[in-house]
Structure formats: C-alpha cells, structure tokens
Amino acid sequence: MPIVINRELLMSMPNLKVITLLSVGYEALDLEMLKERGIRASYLPDVQSDACADAAIALLLAVSRRIVEAAVQYKDNVDIISEPSRFVGREVTGSTIGIFGLGSIGIQVAERAKGFRMKILYHNRRKRSVKDDFDLGAVYVSNLYDMLPQVDFLVLCCPLTSATRGIIGTKELEAMKSSAILINISRGGVVNTDALVDALHRGVIGGAGLDVTDPEPLTKDHPLFDLPNVVVIPHMAGATLETRNRMMDLSIENIVAGIEGKPMPSEIPIK
Ligand SMILES: O=C(O)C(=O)CO
C-alpha cells in the first residue's frame, strides 16, 4: 500500500511542522489538511530525472528486445541461442516514441530517444516553447488520440492528478498499434490495470514495461507477473547511488530551511 499522508496520520503528530517527501510526485499528501494545520512540505523535483529517464529506456529496451525473457530461458537451456527465430524483438532505433508528460523527466527521456534516432512526439497539458521543441526535436500532439496510433512506445511521465487518473484504459490501448509497448514510470494509477491486463491477453498491444503499478506492490499472484511480454519492477526508477545522494542532500536542505522558517529549496506550493 502506498503511504498516504492523510488526516489520521497527521492527527497522530500534533507537533509536526515540516514534511519532506522523498519523491517528486506528491499525490500522497492531503494539501487541504496541510493548509489547515499550517504544515509546510517539500518534494524532490529534478534530482531524479536522469535516473528515471534511464530506467524508462532500460524498460523500453528490455521489453522490445525481450531481454528478461531471454535471460531467464538461457539459464534453463544453454542451447537456445542456436535458433535464429527465437527472441526476435522490435527495433528501437528509428522507431516512434510518444511521451505523455514532457516535464523534467519526460525531457530526459526525449534526450535519450534522440540517441536512438527516434521520432519524438509528446502530449502535455501545454505545448512547450518552440525552442524546447526544436532543441529536443519533439513534436507536440495536442490530442492524445492523435498520438496513440502513431507510436511504437508510449512512455508515461506525467504526474498522477484527477485529470490523469486512469487515463490509459481500454479505449486508449485499443487506439495503439498492436505492436506498441507501454512504459509507465509515472504512477500506477495513470493506467487502468485491469484494462491493461485484458489488452495484453488479447494482443491489443505488444507489451509493457512498468516501474509503477496499481496496486503497488502487486500481489504475488498478479496476472502481470505471468505475461512474458511484461517487465515489471518494484518502483525503483530513481534507485541509483548518485540520485539517492542528491535526494538526501536536498531533503536535508529542505528540512533545515523548514525548521528555521526560511524558504525551502523545493517547497510544495500550498494555496
Ligand atoms: O520520486 C518519485 O515520485 C518517483 O516515483 C521516482 O521514481
């Protein structure tokens, strides 16, 4: 179960003045309640963007090139490499990527996609500047449904909000190519998990690489674990030593500033 900093938890800490989240996403906070209690809170934007983008590309390559499936089978049978028709995946270089949420993490995914000579499309609440689009070689698609049928990879990098909760469901998956691969490094709740499992069983899309799921953690017998074209990892996109160190440093700066009543370097605006 994700930890939710709700009324009950806050009531149990009457002296609490400052919260620093060890995450960039802050959907777990009840901002109304923090406002009522005069509690300040901070989060960790930017410091994880490279690690998360690396993880998105790792998942994208793992699923499209069937890396996990092949590694597991090779261990059981060392003769399998002699068969050229085995483990045939899809080429990443030159493919089309659709990034849903071109914020700090999405931009880093786009930077990496350039190295694979990918065509880069993105869908966002707002179009970025002409300069950003030019620098990234990215094309804004205002309507998600215009982007979905074009992409070989749909990478979710958006925050979980009331607007994005469950936004990828049956209709959206059916709008994608049957070979397309869904990568989710945002929040599990952005995808309707039952719809995804159903779409994967029916061959509606080609596979999925998931750092985040709903529920999280998954149950041991969850159907996502049984699908050979799914790579699911336990919400660890930011888990590099360098990133964790940056996260801790920024958290400490936030806490100290918060306790001293100074502006926190990455304070969550609570209106
Ligand atoms: O920091 C967060 O919110 C993350 O989920 C990083 O993966």
Side-chain angles (χ1 to χ4, degrees):
M1 276 285 286
I3 297 170
V4 177
I5 303 175
N6 56 18
R7 190 167 293 268
E8 195 189 358
L9 188 62
L10 291 178
M11 292 300 269
S12 66
M13 293 179 280
N15 298 323
L16 185 67
K17 294 277 174 279
V18 176
I19 295 175
T20 185
L21 288 181
L22 275 177
S23 66
V24 56
Y26 55 82
E27 74 290 336
L29 286 179
D30 179 340
L31 297 185
E32 276 296 308
M33 177 73 187
L34 296 189
K35 190 175 167 190
E36 262 173 50
R37 285 271 316 270
I39 296 171
R40 296 168 69 197
S42 64
Y43 70 132
L44 300 178
D46 304 327
V47 287
Q48 298 186 67
S49 302
D50 281 319
C52 290
D54 288 352
I57 299 296
L59 285 169
L60 185 155
L61 286 166
V63 180
S64 61
R65 299 302 310 274
R66 304 174 65 177
I67 299 293
V68 176
E69 195 189 338
V72 168
Q73 289 192 34
Y74 191 25
K75 215 170 152 185
D76 286 343
N77 175 8
V78 288
D79 293 328
I80 55 174
I81 44 169
S82 56
E83 180 55 75
S85 62
R86 262 192 231 273
F87 305 122
V88 174
R90 298 302 292 250
E91 197 132 307
V92 171
T93 301
S95 63
T96 300
I97 190 170
I99 301 174
F100 183 177
L102 199 75
S104 140
I105 296 173
I107 286 176
Q108 289 310 322
V109 172
E111 287 290 359
R112 285 151 180 76
K114 277 203 283 189
F116 288 96
R117 303 197 295 279
M118 286 170 142
K119 179 173 174 187
I120 304 168
L121 308 178
Y122 74 96
H123 175 74
N124 224 16
R125 267 172 312 174
R126 266 172 275 114
K127 184 185 176 321
R128 299 197 69 100
S129 69
V130 172
K131 183 177 181 315
D132 281 353
D133 287 1
F134 179 79
D135 289 348
L136 287 171
V139 176
Y140 177 61
V141 186
S142 60
N143 184 338
L144 177 64
Y145 296 94
D146 289 337
M147 183 169 89
L148 294 175
Q150 299 186 56
V151 302
D152 298 302
F153 301 96
L154 176 66
V155 183
L156 306 178
C157 303
C158 57
L160 178 64
T161 64
S162 53
T164 61
R165 185 177 293 281
I167 196 165
I168 303 297
T170 301
K171 180 177 165 207
E172 293 67 31
L173 294 164
E174 286 183 346
M176 292 166 70
K177 293 181 189 174
S178 58
S179 56
I181 290 170
L182 174 75
I183 304 296
N184 191 3
I185 56 160
S186 66
R187 283 292 180 265
V190 173
V191 176
N192 177 325
T193 304
D194 291 343
L196 175 62
V197 170
D198 175 58
L200 288 161
H201 276 136
R202 292 190 289 122
V204 168
I205 61 166
L210 310 171
D211 177 50
V212 288
T213 53
D214 178 22
E216 194 173 294
L218 291 173
T219 50
K220 205 169 168 11
D221 58 351
H222 199 280
L224 282 172
F225 284 128
D226 293 330
L227 289 156
N229 50 349
V230 173
V231 174
V232 54
I233 55 173
H235 202 152
M236 47 157 278
T240 70
L241 184 61
E242 294 80 356
T243 291
R244 294 300 192 224
N245 284 339
R246 281 194 295 271
M247 290 166 71
M248 293 306 157
D249 288 347
L250 182 54
S251 299
I252 291 164
E253 284 175 41
N254 277 317
I255 295 172
V256 172
I259 290 170
E260 289 178 347
K262 296 181 181 154
M264 294 157 98
S266 49
E267 185 154 354
I268 298 172
I270 301 178
K271 291 172 215 129

